[in-house]
Structure formats: C-alpha cells, structure tokens
Amino acid sequence: MVRSLQRLGREGTWALMLGVLVLGLLAALACGPPAERDLGVARLALPKPELARLEETARRQLDEAAEAAASLAVKAKATDAELAAAAGELGRLYQAYGLGEAAAACYREAARLAPGDFTWPYALGFLEQTAGRLEAAADGLQRALELAPEDLPALLRLASVRLEQGENEAAAALYARALELEPAAAAAHHGLGRLAAAAGDWQTAARRFERALELQPEASTLHYALAQAYRALGEPERAATHLARGGATPVVFPDPLAAAVDEAAEGPALRLERGAVALAQGRTEAAIGEYRRAVEAAPGDLEARRTLARLLARSGEPQAAAVEYGALLERDPAHAGARLERAVLLLELDRPGEAAADLERLIAADPGNGAARLALGEALQRLGEPGRAAEQYRAATGLPLAAEAKALAHLGLANLAAARGAWSEAIQGYEATLAADPALGEARRNLAGVLARLGRHQEAVDAYRRHLEDHPEDLAARLYLGEGLLRLDRAEEARAEFARTVAADPAHEGARLGEAAALARLGRHREAVGRLEDALGALPASPRIAAALARALAAAPEPELRDGQRALELALALVAADKSLEHAEILAMALAQAGRFEQAVEWQRELLARSADLGDADLAARLRANLARYLEGRPCCAPAALR
C-alpha cells in the first residue's frame, strides 16, 4: 500500500492533477481563439457522455472537470503528463458516477499520453473488472504490473481475475507473490483458501480462511467459506457455528485508486446509494461515512439525516445520534417519527426529562400514539411519578398496538404495582403481559420474584425454570431458582443450579455461597468448606464469603473440619473492616473455637446488649444459648449459614 501511494506521488499524482485542473479552469476563463481550442482538442480526445440522467450536483461537477481538461489541452506548454492527469481525473469522475464507457475512454487516453505511468492501465483494469470484462481487466492489470511489479493492489486484483477465469496456477502464483510482499494480506489468504477448496484440499482451505478471518474479523463472508470447509472435513458443529455467523461483508484490501474513485463523486443520491450498499453488507462505519457526506451535500434531506441518526445510535454513538435528530427536528418540528426515536434515545441516555418533553408534545398532537404513551410511561416512572406513569401505561393498553408493545404496557403497570406492594395486582399484570407476549422474559422473571416473596416457592421455581428455558444465560434467574429449591428442601437440585452459575461466572459471589449452603444442607460439609476456600481464593475481597468460611471453620459439625485459629484470623479482619452484629457474632464463635472463652463471653455479652433494641426474639435466643456454651467452656454449634 505504501509503495502504491509513493507511485501516486510521481508525475501522475492526484495532487498534481488537481493543481493542473485548477490552472486549466482559470485558462478556460480567458481562453484563446477557436484555432487554439481546436489544437487543444486534437491533443486530447475526450468523450462526451449524456449526463441528463444524473442529478444536478453530479452534472455540475462533471461539466467543470471536462471544461478544465479541455482548457488545459489548448495550452501549448501543457505536457503529455499533465494532459494524462487531466484525462485520468475526468475518467475517475465518470467511473464514480457509473459512466463506464466514458471512463474507459479517458483512461485509454491517459495511458496513451503517459505510457510509463502504471496508474492508467491499473485504473482501466479495475474498471473492466468491476464491469465483469475479465479478459480486458487482465490485460490492463498485467500491463500495470509490468510497470510496477511490486504493487500489492495490482497483484491481488489480477490474482482475483485469474481465479475467476479459472486460471488457478496463475492465480496461486500471484497470491504467493502478494504474501511475500505482505504476509498479513487477508485477501491473499482468502484467495489461496478458495484455490485449496477448488482442489478438494479442505484442511488447507480451512487454515487459509481462518487466517484471513483472524486478520479481518469483520469479513463475515469468510464464515460461509469456513462452514463449507468444516462440513467437508466432517466437523458439523464448527460448520454450524460459522454458518450462523455468516454475513455480507466481503474480504477487502487497501486500494488507493479504488478509494479515490469512491471519494470522487459529490452527489448526495450516489452517497445514499453507496451507504445503502454498505449497510446491506454490514459495513456500518462505511455506511455512516456515506450518509454523513450525503447530509453535508443535501442538509435538507431529512430521511437521510434520520437514517444517519439511526446508524449512529446503533453503532454506539448515542450523543452524535441525538445531535442529528435535533438538527432534523429544527428543520421539521412536526416529524413525529424522528421525535419519537429521539425520545427513546434520550431514555437510553438516561435523560428522562427531555424524553418526556418530546413525548408529551407528540401525544398532544396525536393522543392515539400508543408508542409515545408507552415511552412516556417509562420516562415518568424514571422521574419518580408512578401515578402519571400508570395513566400512560393504562392508556397504551387500550390503543391498537402490536402485541409486543401492548405487553410492555402491561409490564409497566405490573412493575408499578409490585413496587407499591400490590402483589395480586402485580401478578395479574404479569400474567396479562405474558398472554400478550409469552417470550417477554422480564415478565416471567418478575412474576417468579413476586411468587417467591409471597412464599409460593413451588410456583416461583416453576416460573424460573420456564424463564430459563428461553433465557439460559440469565444467571440472576438461575441463582433465584437455586434459592427457591433450597427453600423447598431440594438441596441437590439447588446445588446443580448454583454449580451451573459458577461455571458460567466464576466471580458470581451469590452462586458460590449458594453452592456451599446446598452442600452443607446435604451433609457434605467437607465439600462445603472446600468450595468456600475456593470461593475466597477467587474473590479474596468478598466479606460475605470470608464470613461464611469463618463460620464453617469455627462451628462445622465435624470437629476435624474446624480450625479456630484460621477462623479467628478471618473474623478479626471482618470486624476491623465492619463491626456489624454478624461479624461480631462470628468473632465470638472463632474466639471460643480457639479456646479463648473469656474474650468470647465478653463479645457475646456486648452482642446481647447491642441486639436488645432489635426486637428479634430468635436472634436473642441464639445469642443467649451460645453465651451459655462459652461460659461452660464449650464452642458454638453448627453454623446457621450452612445448615
């Protein structure tokens, strides 16, 4: 690529062309007599294609470039290189606007005037390749390589032409030369992979395609090639994985000339067309660039600006998207679609006040706008106005919305009911949500949570299981399922759910504690202590895990599992960080297990005094029972957290 750019810096550079064209345009303003113009035309034969089908911006750009080239041709001192540059630049513009025959004529004229410049045969070969004329393309690209043997884009382009022609040996040699110049050329690895696949060497094909994908991960068409290779190799699972990830983004390579053609056109219609193609191929960044240029060229094209805003929002640039929506609404304040989309975006940006203002304006103009009422309900809910939010959700449920949107309105009402403790109303709301959209996972999960809160654990477990069938990645729901199973005394099932959660997320504190609790409930205390040791190793800063381990080491049912000194070290660290009742109780337990009963008694009496105002009879009874043990010189019983 660097070598190509360097060559473009010779006599035929685009920068020089632009300078020449400017001088030519100035000359056109003060051109000589007809005889001089005739002389110029004779020196530079230029086509005159029909431009009527093009938009005004394109016609103006092409007319100016053609006039500049013609004006340059009448200058007696204009060199052949300057004339070639002018003809080539005009050809590039014709190519950019889809005028292939005119572009080819210009490139041939440039090649005639500057036979030693590789740029023009390469440009002609590129043009012919895009038109599907492979023989002509090969001729131009071969001539370019004779002039510049180490030009990487020319090697790769000619190799792809030879591959399409079925000249596999020639293509392989060209791809090999390309890799000598640039070992990281994904297009060369891809081409060699295609050749290997054509020869039935699927192992080599897969290796080449994998390397190309490693170098160019966004080239989603490679997944189809890999799916075919792995299917042929008898690896259906890998083939299915790649097939599911396949897309329309091709393997590409840096090509300054192709990029120059792409950048040459100024017309917004062409930019929109290119943006649509890039979008269809999954090249979102390129699509954004094209739509930006289209909007710059035609600021009044509101739909182009709306598409740009949508693309920016989708690609993780919500602030920029909001700016584009704002510019659109300044030009057309009544654009309901853009205002609704901006409001939803503002909600994503956690700006509910601004979103609510947009939505209230929409509803004032169109009270039947169910989508706006639904979004306003969410905005008001975030603003801490549950009553007004419920009004909007309730109104939305009575409007002709799609089932999914109506389900969200019911979900909003159900969540509001749950927030104020109206459990029966919440359950009815979640059931209405699921009736409208059974796939709405949040509704089933929230329903399970309400059922668990009401002590209806079997129903809650059933709801969590149903939810996890559709959303197995929801680790929070799996944790709650495990807790529900523990409450139903189904400890082995609970242990399995906690273990699955830990396997998916080793840093999941709640799942690690749940697994240890389930093992203890099963009487597998040694395993429980081992799991807690592993958990503390994985999460050394977790006070909850440290507290559970200290309890287990201070009061495990099997005496051989107890370790008073280790429990004491953990408990002292816990109390130093937070002298809560729980930590103080664990410290007393550890002191007793370590044989330091006087200190254990002292801590336990302080605990009793601190807990006197809590009104928790069960806690007070447990603390008194343990105090009696410490006074008798006996350590504590089995830890409550692991029963």
Side-chain angles (χ1 to χ4, degrees):
M1 177 179 176
V2 172
R3 280 186 286 270
S4 297
L5 290 173
Q6 288 172 340
R7 281 191 206 93
L8 289 176
R10 301 184 322 190
E11 286 187 316
T13 61
W14 301 120
L16 178 59
M17 286 192 292
L18 292 175
V20 168
L21 291 174
V22 170
L23 291 173
L25 185 59
L26 292 174
L29 298 177
C31 58
E36 287 188 49
R37 294 185 62 83
D38 291 342
L39 175 64
V41 171
R43 294 182 65 200
L44 187 60
L46 298 175
K48 295 182 179 180
E50 176 58 52
L51 306 181
R53 69 176 180 82
L54 299 179
E55 58 187 328
E56 182 182 352
T57 303
R59 291 198 303 272
R60 182 172 60 250
Q61 185 184 13
L62 289 169
D63 285 340
E64 289 174 356
E67 180 64 25
S71 298
L72 180 66
V74 304
K75 292 180 62 177
K77 293 183 179 180
T79 67
D80 284 350
E82 291 172 330
L83 293 173
E89 171 65 9
L90 182 59
R92 183 166 59 162
L93 285 172
Y94 284 143
Q95 184 177 355
Y97 285 110
L99 300 170
E101 291 185 9
C106 287
Y107 289 148
R108 290 191 189 96
E109 184 71 357
R112 179 185 69 80
L113 291 163
D117 190 340
F118 101 108
T119 304
W120 310 122
Y122 179 85
L124 185 58
F126 168 49
L127 173 66
E128 299 290 12
Q129 183 191 20
T130 58
R133 295 187 287 268
L134 299 182
E135 286 295 336
D139 290 344
L141 294 168
Q142 187 64 54
R143 175 58 182 156
L145 278 173
E146 290 171 4
L147 296 169
E150 295 187 353
D151 187 76
L152 184 61
L155 280 168
L156 292 171
R157 199 170 289 284
L158 181 56
S160 68
V161 169
R162 293 302 188 200
L163 181 57
E164 293 301 319
Q165 289 178 310
E167 298 183 22
N168 292 359
E169 289 186 12
L174 289 163
Y175 282 130
R177 283 174 58 192
L179 285 177
E180 290 175 4
L181 292 171
E182 177 51 78
H189 287 287
H190 179 222
L192 290 171
R194 291 178 63 192
L195 288 167
D201 183 358
W202 294 107
Q203 196 69 46
T204 299
R207 178 169 55 82
R208 289 292 188 182
F209 293 147
E210 289 284 11
R211 178 58 176 150
L213 187 61
E214 178 185 347
L215 293 166
Q216 209 167 109
E218 67 278 9
S220 54
T221 54
L222 284 167
H223 290 292
Y224 291 121
L226 281 164
Q228 183 184 24
Y230 285 125
R231 190 181 298 114
L233 290 169
E235 299 185 49
E237 291 185 3
R238 295 181 74 176
T241 298
H242 282 290
L243 188 61
R245 297 174 62 188
T249 304
V251 181
V252 296
F253 56 88
D255 187 342
L257 186 134
V261 170
D262 188 56
E263 292 293 323
E266 295 177 357
L270 187 61
R271 290 294 177 190
L272 292 175
E273 181 181 339
R274 289 177 178 171
V277 170
L279 191 57
Q281 292 178 339
R283 298 183 293 118
T284 304
E285 186 175 345
I288 288 174
E290 295 294 352
Y291 278 103
R292 277 194 191 282
R293 295 185 186 96
V295 167
E296 289 168 2
D301 189 335
L302 301 188
E303 285 311 303
R305 193 179 292 277
R306 185 182 183 185
T307 301
L308 174 59
R310 288 171 168 173
L311 288 173
L312 289 167
R314 188 193 309 173
S315 63
E317 298 184 56
Q319 298 287 357
V323 170
E324 294 299 335
Y325 277 124
L328 189 160
L329 290 169
E330 283 181 9
R331 290 177 175 271
D332 183 7
H335 198 305
R339 194 169 293 281
L340 177 60
E341 288 167 13
R342 183 174 73 163
V344 172
L345 182 64
L346 290 169
L347 283 174
E348 293 177 10
L349 291 168
D350 199 23
R351 292 156 61 180
E354 296 170 72
D358 267 344
L359 294 163
E360 286 170 342
R361 180 170 179 170
L362 278 174
I363 292 168
D366 179 12
N369 191 327
R373 288 191 179 277
L374 180 59
L376 180 56
E378 182 178 347
L380 293 169
Q381 191 171 351
R382 292 196 198 180
L383 290 168
E385 300 186 48
R388 292 183 63 203
E391 290 175 8
Q392 296 302 325
Y393 287 138
R394 199 168 289 111
T397 61
L399 292 170
L401 288 171
E404 294 83 357
K406 189 158 289 192
L408 290 173
H410 284 296
L411 178 63
L413 286 169
N415 287 341
L416 288 170
R420 67 175 189 273
W423 307 120
S424 296
E425 184 181 336
I427 290 172
Q428 290 175 1
Y430 292 131
E431 289 174 344
T433 302
L434 292 167
D437 183 5
L440 189 53
E442 184 182 348
R444 199 173 299 279
R445 176 179 164 179
N446 290 359
L447 172 61
V450 170
L451 292 169
R453 188 181 185 93
L454 294 173
R456 295 160 61 176
H457 299 300
Q458 184 58 60
E459 294 174 78
V461 162
D462 293 342
Y464 279 128
R465 285 200 189 281
R466 175 67 183 83
H467 169 72
L468 287 166
E469 288 176 6
D470 296 330
H471 304 278
E473 77 290 346
D474 190 342
L475 298 186
R478 197 169 293 284
L479 176 71
Y480 300 145
L481 171 59
E483 292 175 350
L485 290 166
L486 266 186
R487 292 189 180 96
L488 292 170
D489 265 339
R490 291 154 63 179
E492 178 53 38
E493 293 176 68
R495 183 207 61 76
E497 297 299 339
F498 291 132
R500 289 190 186 99
T501 307
V502 171
D505 180 9
H508 200 300
E509 180 188 63
R512 284 188 173 275
L513 288 167
E515 186 179 18
L519 287 166
R521 187 79 63 87
L522 291 165
R524 295 156 60 180
H525 299 287
R526 185 174 298 279
E527 289 180 71
V529 171
R531 289 291 191 278
L532 289 172
E533 290 282 13
D534 292 342
L536 192 61
L539 301 168
S542 168
R544 292 178 64 203
I545 292 174
L549 179 57
R551 277 184 181 274
L553 294 172
E558 292 92 339
E560 66 272 15
L561 295 178
R562 297 185 182 186
D563 185 343
Q565 189 56 42
R566 177 87 196 288
L568 185 57
E569 291 172 2
L570 292 168
L572 286 170
L574 288 167
V575 169
D578 178 13
K579 195 177 178 181
S580 65
L581 284 175
E582 179 193 5
H583 292 168
E585 182 182 13
I586 293 170
L587 178 56
M589 293 167 64
L591 286 166
Q593 183 59 43
R596 295 162 63 171
F597 291 104
E598 289 185 6
Q599 290 174 280
V601 167
E602 182 180 343
W603 274 95
Q604 199 72 2
R605 282 175 171 159
E606 181 182 334
L607 276 169
L608 275 165
R610 288 172 60 188
S611 64
D613 295 333
L614 297 179
D616 188 334
D618 292 338
L619 172 63
R622 186 175 77 242
L623 293 176
R624 282 195 294 270
N626 284 343
L627 176 59
R629 289 186 178 88
Y630 304 154
L631 288 168
E632 293 171 1
R634 292 187 295 123
C636 182
C637 54
L642 294 184
R643 285 187 204 162

